[in-house]
Amino acid sequence: MLFQEQNSYEITSYIKKSKVAILPVGAVEAHGPHLPLGTDNYLAEELSKKLADEVGGLVLPTLPYGQVWSLSNFPGSLTLSNQTLTNLMVEIGESLFRQGFRIMTVINGHYGNAIALKEASRVLYEKFPDCKVFVMFYPGTKEIIRNVRESTPVHDSYFHACELETSYMLYLVEEKVQMEKAINDTPVIPETADVTPTPWSQFTKTAVLGDATVATREKGEKIISVALENMTRMIQQAKDELGC
Amino acid sequence: MLFQEQNSYEITSYIKKSKVAILPVGAVEAHGPHLPLGTDNYLAEELSKKLADEVGGLVLPTLPYGQVWSLSNFPGSLTLSNQTLTNLMVEIGESLFRQGFRIMTVINGHYGNAIALKEASRVLYEKFPDCKVFVMFYPGTKEIIRNVRESTPVHDSYFHACELETSYMLYLVEEKVQMEKAINDTPVIPETADVTPTPWSQFTKTAVLGDATVATREKGEKIISVALENMTRMIQQAKDELGC
Amino acid sequence: MLFQEQNSYEITSYIKKSKVAILPVGAVEAHGPHLPLGTDNYLAEELSKKLADEVGGLVLPTLPYGQVWSLSNFPGSLTLSNQTLTNLMVEIGESLFRQGFRIMTVINGHYGNAIALKEASRVLYEKFPDCKVFVMFYPGTKEIIRNVRESTPVHDSYFHACELETSYMLYLVEEKVQMEKAINDTPVIPETADVTPTPWSQFTKTAVLGDATVATREKGEKIISVALENMTRMIQQAKDELGC
Amino acid sequence: MLFQEQNSYEITSYIKKSKVAILPVGAVEAHGPHLPLGTDNYLAEELSKKLADEVGGLVLPTLPYGQVWSLSNFPGSLTLSNQTLTNLMVEIGESLFRQGFRIMTVINGHYGNAIALKEASRVLYEKFPDCKVFVMFYPGTKEIIRNVRESTPVHDSYFHACELETSYMLYLVEEKVQMEKAINDTPVIPETADVTPTPWSQFTKTAVLGDATVATREKGEKIISVALENMTRMIQQAKDELGC
Amino acid sequence: MLFQEQNSYEITSYIKKSKVAILPVGAVEAHGPHLPLGTDNYLAEELSKKLADEVGGLVLPTLPYGQVWSLSNFPGSLTLSNQTLTNLMVEIGESLFRQGFRIMTVINGHYGNAIALKEASRVLYEKFPDCKVFVMFYPGTKEIIRNVRESTPVHDSYFHACELETSYMLYLVEEKVQMEKAINDTPVIPETADVTPTPWSQFTKTAVLGDATVATREKGEKIISVALENMTRMIQQAKDELGC
Amino acid sequence: MLFQEQNSYEITSYIKKSKVAILPVGAVEAHGPHLPLGTDNYLAEELSKKLADEVGGLVLPTLPYGQVWSLSNFPGSLTLSNQTLTNLMVEIGESLFRQGFRIMTVINGHYGNAIALKEASRVLYEKFPDCKVFVMFYPGTKEIIRNVRESTPVHDSYFHACELETSYMLYLVEEKVQMEKAINDTPVIPETADVTPTPWSQFTKTAVLGDATVATREKGEKIISVALENMTRMIQQAKDELGC
């Protein structure tokens, strides 16, 4: 159920019934030749809808701007500062609390947002002790990814426009993918990239970090399903704890 | 043309051709029984698309959160601070400039955003002297409104969920309007409301400021067409001045 | 009664009796050849004194610096940021509350201050719910202006160094006006001035927006008297509500 | 010459001639039974005028609000934060620079402002290297005070509403002093007052720190004349260095 | 070579020769019964000295306060906000640049500092493009840890007061370890700990995350040596690139 | 007793017993040819230990970065902004309060820190009314200095790397002093230095303000002993008042 499609006469009863707000947060960022700039927004939004179906929550309008540092040099990338993104989430969270929500779940579609959103979740945690705040980025998928992935990962922590993300898109928003344009570009990321500021333009020209050509809808479904299951279980547990 | 649907290989040529970015900014806010909470988002987005068709610009993803002070007590209203909204627009503007845009047009769907967006436009104006920044809220429609409106306005400057805004919705996003639920609620706004902080809950229970029942698609079209014409002329003039 | 002329032994009894603080806020800004740079300060201060006579309040020292963006290019203009002006008013308001005032009335002499002062009034409103905060800029004078004005207004919302403001000065601080230097300079303000940052130097060289030569003391008195009446009535009503 | 009394047609030539801006900064603060709350404002303003006569500068409108921490518990005291006071002075300084001034002299009438004003002077110093920024608080008067003072000082660094300040008032603004109400109240300030936050209410009930009854116009004149001489000499030297 | 032990007459020649500043950043935080509160400070400092020996840098005084959120409930934990820690590093970095350093290496001894320090490194990167900024937290030790570790890790990303950290201490600052008090406390960290704010008090009472009893000096040496090698290689490479 | 050498199992009982936290704050700054850059850190730390012995407090790790404006041009000087230093002390103070301390004593080793630390002490004072916050910079030593000093002071308020500070170092950290390099450099500080921003490079090339050659351990001991006595007495009195 989409929050902004409801009207102010009916929304209160929905909030009372569910208490779970789901906020998709993405970004506008280069994703190679085969994926659109809004990839992270589409993923966050579609995953949010699926989650809402499982846990009975209300999906807020997608926040389509995020913190894009590493690819900010690339065509089409737009970025917010961490500070502004943190403030945004805190202020939306304050409104949600006033409106009666007690479980706030940010579905993050963009790795670069993680720091700002985590900071915000801590601020909200301290401000509203009787509220539960989640920030989810495909939680608990390490093992399934290890099983499903065919190409070699280029980095331990992040992935981008590659076999994984393209598969997610094929599963969740297939119509926005141009698989015929997918490429295999597997850069060697220098070890210094983890310890000194390193725009990705230093090691990739395509913004694709791996082999996107081997992506499939099925792989996407397998991984996303695990993520969704984990998210559902954790939110359900929070609902049980809060008795809602 | 929607910015986030493009990919990073093609976006540069589009930006070079157009130089005009169009950013819809709305809000999530109570709009009575017949209009959805996202009314201001839908209006800003649809109007942006129409404008893009006229001037050849790229429509950015809608920023769906705004400054909602007056109705923040109402069910479904979510709000940002002026400061955060200003920072958001400034930072998006900085990205747009780096990406090559030279005309930035914010299409504002929510009166309460005006202050924050104006402040941002001044910051960007000083930062990027060779850039043109517009913030548009149905510009130049006073006269046409005077001609079209049948109900009595409740306030000189703002209107809300009334004959006007409902007509805009009927013209731009008809499927989101439930005209059968439209009401006529014409409050008397105390004179102090203009000089002391006054949540609207002090004078309305419905969040409808006027007679929504007399709204029609035709009225919406007449007014919006004038607004669109004015916006188009001003942006066209800016394009001419910048030679783009 | 001027606040700063009192001493600390006697002030408490005055505050207890009145509870109404009146803060004139002006600006230092170009006002053409016939009006001094401090015009907005003089107006705010004299109007405050008249209001204090009516409602029995204490007039605080004039804050003589304001937000001057549109004319900041002109000789003699000095400006604060909106943020600093907001903070100033909030902090003074906090002190006034601690001192026992319960009605704070800002008499604003400069249109450009409106945004910052409104923001401050909302902050104070939320901080001190049992306090009433007004920001007044010639309230309720639209009709009388329509009746009195002989020259054509150049803008719907603001006026500057013209028939109106010069008349106010002639009525309130006649000795500071050099009527023999008054000019008629009626610029055409481009429609874009309302939607894109537009320093007034783009359409005026004199900083006079209209025909100052037709200003008279009588016109000033007529309009100011209505403003004063409105202000008095609203504050009196607030006093009644607070029982002070 | 008072800045705000000039008009925008003539001010430029005055600035070109003088380049020296003089900004009185005071405070609203308890000063015992015989001195008004605005004492620091009156002193700063009158001293500024005398200085302007000597060095040919333009006197800006008095900033009548300052940082009042130690006496903030007392009736009539109003206070700003250090941060806001610093920002105020910086922003006014930026305007002054743009207007063509090259020597900015703050005449401080309130000891508590010293920290914030010093911070601002450093910011301006770094921003405008070819500009000279002074903050003056009765400079170079230690010796003359030692000679003139009859009562025992209660503190090494500051004085308040006592023989000294009352004498300054008698010399500069005699009509605001009620000498018949002057008292002798010489508190013992605990040694901890210098190393831990200590509101003055902990050691005085009158806000008078010493014997105000022995104040005379002559003493005031003697000390102020030395301060004025020092200020004049230092500004004259700065004018010589800048060749203005 | 310790920076603060040098004097201002000689330091310039050292900076010219080395250009490498090494800043240890730690924290004061609960580390169980066998490790002192200052563990992260001791580790950062000793590792910094070893690195300085390898690359010829100057070791700055240890910044002994960090961001301690997860254990802030525990006895002895002190914490800074991320914002303050970021500002600190940025301002120290600005000073270092002015002093002539061109390679700044933060040796971080506390995982919780990572976010703030990374943010600072990006600010400095953008401010000083011809400067190299590293933030190092035992880089490149995944494999050696996998080989050396005997106990089961409790978390993928962080470790605390366990076999690893205790071994580091035994190697670097043996005299501060009380091995006889070492315990084995291996909590089960709930999956939600990664997606919702979770003070560690929710799953541990000891602040020891694993089996500290199997720590040895040898294990510490093996892992630290790899970290040191990696750090040395990366800084040496930076020196080569900058030609210093 | 050094705070960071304790472990989290034992620290609580120490805090309960003592309630007195002692925080040394210094700076890294040019101190001439005979004193190290870390002089202010060494002094603050050693004095803190002596004080802890007297009053039974816990010494926190030294904060080794301070606000260094006047000598920031000199080799080896590193500086923080006042704002950051204030935030640092406030946040550490908040942690100390949560940990159970009720008397916080900052031992300041660097005159330039005074403003930021005082501001912080006021913030903490207002936040924690049942807490006592001291900022000590050799309190109550004016008279003993007058008796002991042989050289002529160059300034009324501050001293630097001169007879005094060198004597303090000889008494507290003799091994860091190279007396054979001590010099006599007694600059004439212009009167303007007190009223306009004046980097010390304008009047000294050595950073030594006076005759360091006449410094002795005995002089240091005499002055420091008085300071220590005063500090001890004031903290003891605070302990008595708080009953701890």
Side-chain angles (χ1 to χ4, degrees):
Chain A
M1 183 176 278
L2 301 183
F3 190 81
Q4 74 170 340
E5 292 202 342
Q6 316 309 315
N7 68 52
S8 61
Y9 278 49
E10 295 163 359
I11 194 68
T12 307
S13 71
Y14 296 136
I15 296 175
K16 271 203 187 124
K17 232 175 19 207
S18 151
K19 301 261 168 79
V20 180
I22 300 175
L23 171 63
V25 181
V28 177
E29 186 186 39
H31 275 82
H34 65 301
L35 292 178
L37 297 170
T39 290
D40 299 341
N41 291 327
Y42 301 131
L43 290 174
E45 190 159 322
E46 293 310 312
L47 193 48
S48 293
K49 286 183 197 161
K50 282 193 186 296
L51 180 62
D53 287 345
E54 299 294 330
V55 302
L58 285 153
V59 178
L60 295 160
T62 299
L63 179 60
Y65 299 98
Q67 197 262 25
V68 175
W69 194 90
S70 303
L71 281 170
S72 64
N73 292 335
F74 277 68
S77 293
L78 308 179
T79 186
L80 300 182
S81 67
N82 273 326
Q83 189 61 64
T84 293
L85 184 51
T86 296
N87 292 347
L88 253 170
M89 178 176 150
V90 168
E91 293 176 9
I92 292 174
E94 291 170 338
S95 286
L96 293 175
F97 185 81
R98 261 201 313 273
Q99 289 290 339
F101 288 105
R102 288 301 173 266
I103 296 175
M104 307 174 193
T105 308
V106 173
I107 302 304
N108 181 17
H110 170 62
Y111 185 77
N113 293 338
I115 280 174
L117 298 177
K118 186 177 181 183
E119 182 82 4
S121 72
R122 288 181 169 181
V123 173
L124 290 169
Y125 169 84
E126 275 155 28
K127 213 160 186 169
F128 306 120
D130 52 340
C131 198
K132 203 85 184 162
V133 186
F134 293 100
V135 179
M136 309 277 206
F137 184 71
Y138 311 108
T141 53
K142 273 206 176 164
E143 198 183 314
I144 180 70
I145 285 174
R146 214 155 18 209
N147 295 338
V148 166
R149 197 182 224 162
E150 291 180 290
S151 60
T152 314
V154 302
H155 194 271
D156 268 11
S157 315
Y158 49 78
F159 57 90
H160 190 78
C162 59
E163 182 187 358
L164 294 187
E165 199 170 26
T166 308
S167 295
Y168 300 171
M169 280 294 281
L170 286 171
Y171 173 52
L172 291 171
V173 218
E174 193 159 19
E175 70 278 13
K176 307 276 189 194
V177 187
Q178 295 179 290
M179 269 312 281
E180 71 284 4
K181 296 190 180 167
I183 59 171
N184 174 2
D185 183 23
T186 305
V188 178
I189 300 182
E191 67 175 331
T192 50
D194 287 345
V195 295
T196 193
T198 309
W200 289 6
S201 52
Q202 292 186 9
F203 52 77
T204 175
K205 284 187 173 160
T206 64
V208 174
L209 298 193
D211 186 357
T213 65
V214 298
T216 67
R217 194 183 195 289
E218 288 66 38
K219 291 176 184 172
E221 182 167 10
K222 277 186 192 159
I223 301 171
I224 292 298
S225 299
V226 170
L228 191 59
E229 221 172 90
N230 292 335
M231 289 153 67
T232 303
R233 186 179 56 254
M234 290 191 276
I235 288 170
Q236 195 54 56
Q237 182 190 336
K239 287 176 72 175
D240 294 349
E241 282 171 18
L242 296 178
C244 66
Chain B
M1 184 175 279
L2 300 183
F3 190 81
Q4 75 170 338
E5 292 202 342
Q6 316 310 315
N7 68 52
S8 62
Y9 278 49
E10 295 163 0
I11 194 68
T12 308
S13 70
Y14 296 136
I15 296 175
K16 269 200 189 128
K17 228 171 28 202
S18 153
K19 301 260 168 80
V20 180
I22 300 175
L23 171 63
V25 181
V28 178
E29 185 185 40
H31 275 82
H34 65 301
L35 293 178
L37 297 169
T39 290
D40 299 341
N41 292 327
Y42 302 130
L43 290 174
E45 190 159 322
E46 293 311 311
L47 193 47
S48 293
K49 287 183 198 161
K50 283 193 186 296
L51 180 61
D53 287 346
E54 300 294 329
V55 302
L58 285 152
V59 179
L60 295 160
T62 300
L63 178 61
Y65 299 99
Q67 197 262 23
V68 175
W69 193 91
S70 302
L71 280 170
S72 64
N73 292 334
F74 277 68
S77 292
L78 307 178
T79 187
L80 300 181
S81 67
N82 273 328
Q83 189 63 63
T84 293
L85 185 51
T86 297
N87 292 347
L88 253 170
M89 177 175 151
V90 169
E91 294 176 8
I92 293 173
E94 291 170 338
S95 287
L96 294 175
F97 185 82
R98 263 202 313 274
Q99 289 291 338
F101 289 105
R102 287 301 172 267
I103 296 175
M104 307 174 193
T105 309
V106 172
I107 302 303
N108 181 17
H110 171 61
Y111 185 77
N113 292 338
I115 281 174
L117 298 176
K118 186 177 180 182
E119 183 82 5
S121 72
R122 288 181 170 180
V123 173
L124 291 168
Y125 169 84
E126 275 155 27
K127 212 160 186 170
F128 306 121
D130 53 339
C131 198
K132 202 86 185 163
V133 185
F134 293 99
V135 179
M136 308 278 206
F137 184 71
Y138 311 110
T141 53
K142 274 205 177 165
E143 198 183 315
I144 181 71
I145 285 174
R146 216 160 12 214
N147 294 337
V148 166
R149 198 182 225 161
E150 289 180 290
S151 60
T152 314
V154 302
H155 194 271
D156 267 12
S157 315
Y158 48 80
F159 57 91
H160 190 77
C162 59
E163 183 186 358
L164 294 187
E165 199 171 24
T166 308
S167 295
Y168 299 171
M169 281 293 281
L170 286 171
Y171 174 52
L172 292 171
V173 218
E174 193 159 19
E175 69 278 12
K176 306 276 189 193
V177 186
Q178 295 178 288
M179 268 311 281
E180 71 284 3
K181 295 190 181 168
I183 60 172
N184 174 1
D185 182 23
T186 306
V188 178
I189 300 182
E191 67 175 330
T192 50
D194 287 345
V195 295
T196 193
T198 308
W200 289 6
S201 52
Q202 292 186 10
F203 52 77
T204 177
K205 286 186 173 161
T206 64
V208 174
L209 297 194
D211 187 357
T213 65
V214 297
T216 68
R217 192 181 197 291
E218 288 65 38
K219 291 176 182 171
E221 181 166 11
K222 277 186 192 160
I223 301 171
I224 292 298
S225 300
V226 170
L228 192 58
E229 220 172 89
N230 292 335
M231 289 153 67
T232 303
R233 187 180 55 253
M234 289 190 277
I235 289 171
Q236 197 53 56
Q237 183 191 336
K239 288 175 72 173
D240 295 347
E241 282 169 20
L242 297 177
C244 67
Chain C
M1 185 176 277
L2 301 182
F3 189 81
Q4 75 170 339
E5 292 203 343
Q6 315 310 313
N7 68 52
S8 61
Y9 278 49
E10 295 163 359
I11 195 68
T12 308
S13 70
Y14 296 137
I15 296 175
K16 270 200 189 127
K17 230 176 19 208
S18 153
K19 300 261 167 80
V20 180
I22 300 174
L23 172 63
V25 181
V28 178
E29 186 184 40
H31 274 81
H34 65 301
L35 293 178
L37 297 170
T39 290
D40 299 341
N41 292 327
Y42 301 130
L43 289 174
E45 189 159 322
E46 293 310 312
L47 193 47
S48 293
K49 286 183 197 161
K50 281 192 186 296
L51 180 61
D53 287 345
E54 299 294 329
V55 302
L58 285 152
V59 178
L60 294 160
T62 299
L63 179 60
Y65 298 98
Q67 197 261 24
V68 176
W69 193 89
S70 302
L71 280 170
S72 64
N73 293 335
F74 277 68
S77 293
L78 308 179
T79 186
L80 301 182
S81 67
N82 272 326
Q83 190 62 63
T84 293
L85 185 51
T86 296
N87 292 347
L88 252 170
M89 178 175 149
V90 168
E91 295 175 8
I92 293 173
E94 291 169 339
S95 287
L96 294 175
F97 186 82
R98 264 201 312 273
Q99 290 291 338
F101 289 105
R102 288 301 172 266
I103 296 174
M104 308 175 193
T105 308
V106 172
I107 302 304
N108 181 18
H110 170 62
Y111 186 77
N113 293 338
I115 281 175
L117 299 177
K118 186 177 180 182
E119 183 82 5
S121 73
R122 288 181 169 181
V123 173
L124 291 169
Y125 169 84
E126 276 156 25
K127 213 160 186 171
F128 306 119
D130 54 339
C131 198
K132 202 87 186 162
V133 185
F134 293 99
V135 178
M136 309 276 206
F137 184 71
Y138 310 109
T141 53
K142 274 205 175 164
E143 199 184 313
I144 181 71
I145 286 174
R146 215 157 16 211
N147 294 338
V148 165
R149 198 182 225 161
E150 290 180 289
S151 59
T152 313
V154 301
H155 195 271
D156 267 11
S157 315
Y158 48 78
F159 57 90
H160 190 76
C162 58
E163 182 187 356
L164 294 187
E165 199 171 26
T166 308
S167 295
Y168 299 171
M169 280 294 281
L170 285 171
Y171 174 51
L172 291 172
V173 217
E174 193 159 17
E175 69 278 13
K176 306 276 188 193
V177 187
Q178 294 178 288
M179 268 312 280
E180 71 284 3
K181 296 190 180 169
I183 60 172
N184 174 2
D185 183 22
T186 306
V188 178
I189 300 181
E191 65 175 333
T192 51
D194 286 345
V195 295
T196 194
T198 308
W200 289 5
S201 52
Q202 292 186 9
F203 53 77
T204 177
K205 285 188 173 159
T206 63
V208 174
L209 298 193
D211 187 356
T213 64
V214 296
T216 68
R217 193 183 197 288
E218 289 65 37
K219 292 175 182 171
E221 180 166 12
K222 278 185 192 161
I223 301 171
I224 293 298
S225 300
V226 170
L228 191 58
E229 222 170 90
N230 292 335
M231 289 153 67
T232 303
R233 187 179 55 255
M234 290 191 276
I235 289 171
Q236 196 53 57
Q237 182 190 335
K239 289 176 71 173
D240 294 347
E241 284 171 17
L242 296 177
C244 65
Chain D
M1 185 176 279
L2 301 182
F3 190 81
Q4 75 169 338
E5 292 202 342
Q6 314 310 313
N7 68 51
S8 61
Y9 278 50
E10 295 162 359
I11 195 68
T12 308
S13 70
Y14 296 137
I15 295 174
K16 271 204 186 123
K17 231 174 22 206
S18 153
K19 301 259 169 81
V20 180
I22 301 174
L23 172 62
V25 181
V28 178
E29 185 186 39
H31 275 82
H34 65 300
L35 293 178
L37 297 170
T39 291
D40 299 342
N41 291 327
Y42 300 130
L43 289 174
E45 189 159 322
E46 292 311 311
L47 193 47
S48 292
K49 286 183 197 160
K50 282 194 185 296
L51 179 61
D53 287 346
E54 299 294 331
V55 301
L58 284 152
V59 178
L60 294 160
T62 299
L63 179 59
Y65 299 98
Q67 198 262 21
V68 175
W69 193 89
S70 303
L71 280 171
S72 65
N73 293 334
F74 277 67
S77 292
L78 308 178
T79 186
L80 300 181
S81 67
N82 272 327
Q83 188 62 65
T84 293
L85 185 52
T86 297
N87 291 348
L88 254 170
M89 178 175 149
V90 168
E91 294 176 8
I92 293 174
E94 291 170 338
S95 287
L96 294 175
F97 185 82
R98 263 201 313 274
Q99 290 291 339
F101 288 106
R102 287 300 172 267
I103 296 174
M104 306 174 195
T105 310
V106 172
I107 302 304
N108 182 17
H110 171 61
Y111 186 77
N113 293 338
I115 281 175
L117 299 177
K118 186 177 181 182
E119 182 82 5
S121 73
R122 288 180 169 181
V123 173
L124 291 169
Y125 169 84
E126 276 155 26
K127 212 159 187 172
F128 306 120
D130 53 339
C131 198
K132 203 87 184 162
V133 186
F134 294 99
V135 178
M136 309 276 206
F137 184 71
Y138 311 109
T141 52
K142 274 204 176 168
E143 198 184 314
I144 180 71
I145 285 174
R146 215 159 13 211
N147 295 339
V148 166
R149 199 182 224 160
E150 289 179 290
S151 59
T152 314
V154 301
H155 194 272
D156 267 12
S157 315
Y158 49 78
F159 57 92
H160 190 76
C162 58
E163 182 187 357
L164 293 187
E165 198 170 26
T166 308
S167 295
Y168 299 172
M169 281 293 280
L170 285 171
Y171 173 53
L172 290 171
V173 217
E174 192 158 19
E175 70 279 13
K176 307 276 188 193
V177 187
Q178 295 178 287
M179 268 312 280
E180 70 284 5
K181 297 190 179 168
I183 60 173
N184 174 2
D185 182 23
T186 305
V188 177
I189 300 182
E191 66 175 332
T192 51
D194 286 346
V195 294
T196 193
T198 308
W200 289 6
S201 51
Q202 292 186 10
F203 53 77
T204 176
K205 284 186 175 161
T206 63
V208 174
L209 298 193
D211 187 356
T213 64
V214 297
T216 67
R217 192 181 197 291
E218 289 64 37
K219 291 175 182 172
E221 181 167 11
K222 278 186 190 158
I223 301 172
I224 292 298
S225 300
V226 170
L228 192 59
E229 220 171 274
N230 292 335
M231 289 153 69
T232 303
R233 185 179 57 254
M234 289 192 276
I235 289 171
Q236 196 53 56
Q237 182 190 335
K239 288 176 72 173
D240 294 348
E241 283 170 17
L242 297 176
C244 66
Chain E
M1 184 174 280
L2 301 182
F3 190 81
Q4 74 171 338
E5 292 201 343
Q6 316 310 314
N7 68 51
S8 61
Y9 278 49
E10 295 162 358
I11 194 68
T12 307
S13 70
Y14 296 136
I15 296 175
K16 271 203 187 123
K17 229 172 24 205
S18 153
K19 299 259 168 80
V20 180
I22 300 175
L23 171 63
V25 180
V28 178
E29 187 185 39
H31 275 81
H34 64 301
L35 293 178
L37 296 170
T39 291
D40 299 342
N41 292 328
Y42 300 130
L43 289 174
E45 190 159 321
E46 292 311 312
L47 193 47
S48 293
K49 286 183 198 159
K50 283 193 185 296
L51 180 62
D53 287 346
E54 299 294 330
V55 301
L58 284 152
V59 178
L60 294 160
T62 299
L63 179 60
Y65 299 99
Q67 197 262 22
V68 176
W69 193 91
S70 302
L71 281 170
S72 64
N73 292 335
F74 277 67
S77 293
L78 308 179
T79 186
L80 299 182
S81 67
N82 272 327
Q83 189 62 65
T84 293
L85 184 51
T86 296
N87 292 348
L88 253 169
M89 177 175 150
V90 169
E91 294 175 9
I92 293 174
E94 291 169 339
S95 287
L96 294 175
F97 185 82
R98 263 201 313 273
Q99 290 290 339
F101 288 106
R102 286 300 172 268
I103 295 175
M104 308 175 192
T105 308
V106 172
I107 301 304
N108 181 18
H110 170 63
Y111 186 77
N113 293 337
I115 281 175
L117 299 176
K118 186 177 181 183
E119 183 82 5
S121 72
R122 288 182 169 180
V123 173
L124 290 168
Y125 169 84
E126 276 156 26
K127 212 159 187 172
F128 306 119
D130 53 339
C131 197
K132 202 86 183 162
V133 185
F134 293 99
V135 178
M136 308 276 207
F137 183 71
Y138 310 109
T141 53
K142 273 203 177 168
E143 199 184 312
I144 180 71
I145 285 175
R146 218 160 11 216
N147 295 338
V148 165
R149 197 183 225 159
E150 289 180 290
S151 59
T152 314
V154 301
H155 194 272
D156 267 12
S157 316
Y158 49 80
F159 58 89
H160 189 77
C162 59
E163 181 186 357
L164 294 187
E165 199 171 25
T166 309
S167 295
Y168 300 171
M169 280 293 281
L170 285 171
Y171 173 52
L172 291 172
V173 217
E174 193 160 18
E175 68 278 14
K176 306 277 189 194
V177 186
Q178 295 178 287
M179 268 313 279
E180 70 284 4
K181 295 190 181 169
I183 61 173
N184 174 2
D185 182 24
T186 306
V188 178
I189 300 181
E191 67 174 331
T192 50
D194 286 346
V195 295
T196 193
T198 308
W200 290 6
S201 51
Q202 291 186 10
F203 53 77
T204 177
K205 284 188 174 159
T206 63
V208 174
L209 297 194
D211 187 357
T213 64
V214 297
T216 67
R217 194 183 194 289
E218 289 66 36
K219 291 176 182 172
E221 181 167 12
K222 278 186 191 159
I223 301 171
I224 292 299
S225 299
V226 170
L228 192 58
E229 220 171 273
N230 292 334
M231 289 152 67
T232 304
R233 185 179 57 254
M234 290 192 276
I235 289 171
Q236 196 53 57
Q237 182 190 335
K239 288 176 73 174
D240 294 349
E241 282 171 18
L242 296 177
C244 68
Chain F
M1 184 176 279
L2 300 183
F3 190 81
Q4 74 169 339
E5 292 202 341
Q6 315 310 314
N7 68 50
S8 61
Y9 278 50
E10 296 163 0
I11 194 69
T12 307
S13 70
Y14 296 137
I15 296 175
K16 271 203 187 124
K17 231 175 20 208
S18 153
K19 301 261 168 79
V20 180
I22 300 174
L23 172 63
V25 181
V28 178
E29 186 185 40
H31 274 82
H34 64 301
L35 293 178
L37 297 170
T39 290
D40 299 341
N41 291 327
Y42 301 130
L43 288 174
E45 190 159 320
E46 293 311 312
L47 193 47
S48 292
K49 287 183 197 159
K50 283 194 185 294
L51 180 61
D53 288 346
E54 299 294 330
V55 301
L58 284 152
V59 178
L60 294 160
T62 299
L63 179 60
Y65 299 99
Q67 198 263 22
V68 175
W69 193 90
S70 304
L71 280 171
S72 64
N73 292 336
F74 276 69
S77 293
L78 307 179
T79 185
L80 300 182
S81 67
N82 273 327
Q83 188 62 65
T84 293
L85 184 52
T86 296
N87 292 347
L88 253 169
M89 178 176 150
V90 168
E91 294 176 8
I92 293 173
E94 290 170 339
S95 286
L96 294 175
F97 185 82
R98 264 201 312 274
Q99 289 291 339
F101 289 105
R102 288 300 172 268
I103 296 175
M104 308 174 191
T105 308
V106 172
I107 302 304
N108 182 17
H110 170 61
Y111 185 78
N113 292 339
I115 280 174
L117 299 176
K118 186 177 181 182
E119 183 82 5
S121 72
R122 288 182 170 182
V123 173
L124 290 169
Y125 169 84
E126 275 155 26
K127 214 161 185 168
F128 307 120
D130 52 339
C131 199
K132 203 84 184 164
V133 185
F134 293 99
V135 179
M136 308 276 207
F137 184 71
Y138 310 109
T141 52
K142 274 205 174 165
E143 199 184 313
I144 180 71
I145 285 174
R146 215 157 17 210
N147 294 339
V148 166
R149 198 183 224 160
E150 290 179 291
S151 60
T152 313
V154 300
H155 195 272
D156 267 11
S157 315
Y158 48 78
F159 56 91
H160 190 77
C162 58
E163 181 186 359
L164 293 187
E165 199 171 24
T166 308
S167 295
Y168 300 171
M169 280 293 282
L170 286 171
Y171 173 53
L172 291 172
V173 216
E174 192 160 19
E175 69 278 14
K176 308 275 189 196
V177 186
Q178 296 179 288
M179 267 313 279
E180 71 283 6
K181 297 189 180 169
I183 60 173
N184 174 1
D185 182 23
T186 305
V188 177
I189 300 181
E191 66 174 333
T192 51
D194 287 345
V195 295
T196 193
T198 308
W200 289 6
S201 52
Q202 291 186 10
F203 53 79
T204 176
K205 285 187 174 158
T206 63
V208 175
L209 298 194
D211 187 357
T213 64
V214 297
T216 67
R217 193 182 195 290
E218 288 65 37
K219 290 175 182 172
E221 181 167 11
K222 278 187 191 158
I223 301 171
I224 292 298
S225 300
V226 170
L228 191 58
E229 219 171 276
N230 292 334
M231 288 152 67
T232 304
R233 185 179 57 253
M234 290 191 275
I235 289 171
Q236 196 53 56
Q237 182 190 334
K239 287 176 72 174
D240 294 348
E241 282 170 18
L242 296 177
C244 66

